[in-house]
Structure formats: structure tokens, C-alpha cells
Amino acid sequence: LSRRSKRSFTFNYTNLSGPYKQAIENFYTARGGTWESFEFDLSYAGQSGIIFVRFDGPLIVTQVLTSLDEINDFYNVSFNLQETFS
């Protein structure tokens, strides 16, 4: 028996406002970081279908603009996803 290779994806988001950055961090934390897999809609990667993935490594968050409140701060966020065979 042969299985196809597991796919990996890298996402880079630039100039996200504080609430969007926080939503990504909350989702990452709720999955236990790299621990728990979840369904991923491949349309976000320009493909069709749904697969199970998990985070592969930490979130990389860089603040690019600072304001007087977090809502108006801007961030770059990147992360990797690894396909799993749940």
C-alpha cells in the first residue's frame, strides 16, 4: 500500500488589525497550538475539497504599526499547516 505525501501550506497575512490578529491567535490557542487537527477548506489555497490539518510550528506575529490602542495596531501573521490523516 502506498499513501500520497501529506501536503503542507504556508500562509502570510500582512497588515492585519489587532482584532483579526487576536482571532488567529485565539484559534491557534484553542487547537492547543500544534496539537489538535481541524478541517481546512482547500479553497483558501486555491484548490477544492476539505482536508484535516494541524498547525506546524508557532505563529509568527510581527507588529508593523503601533497606535494608542490595540484595535488600531497592525500586524503581519504567518503560519504553516500540515495535512494529517485523522
Side-chain angles (χ1 to χ4, degrees):
L1 272 184
S2 155
R3 275 195 147 155
R4 67 173 167 72
S5 298
K6 294 179 185 176
R7 294 172 278 188
S8 60
F9 305 90
T10 299
F11 291 90
N12 298 297
Y13 295 97
T14 58
N15 298 318
L16 290 177
S17 64
Y20 287 106
K21 184 252 333 169
Q22 190 63 52
I24 292 171
E25 287 179 326
N26 290 348
F27 186 79
Y28 180 85
T29 300
R31 303 287 77 69
T34 61
W35 179 252
E36 183 181 324
S37 63
F38 54 94
E39 285 186 6
F40 176 68
D41 183 342
L42 286 169
S43 66
Y44 290 105
Q47 301 175 25
S48 62
I50 294 175
I51 61 172
F52 282 93
V53 296
R54 65 172 173 74
F55 286 100
D56 187 21
L59 294 178
I60 300 169
V61 179
T62 307
Q63 190 168 8
V64 293
L65 179 65
T66 304
S67 67
L68 296 176
D69 58 43
E70 186 178 344
I71 291 174
N72 294 312
D73 291 349
F74 285 88
Y75 302 85
N76 293 341
V77 178
S78 63
F79 55 88
N80 298 313
L81 298 177
Q82 179 67 50
E83 184 177 15
T84 63
F85 295 120
S86 298

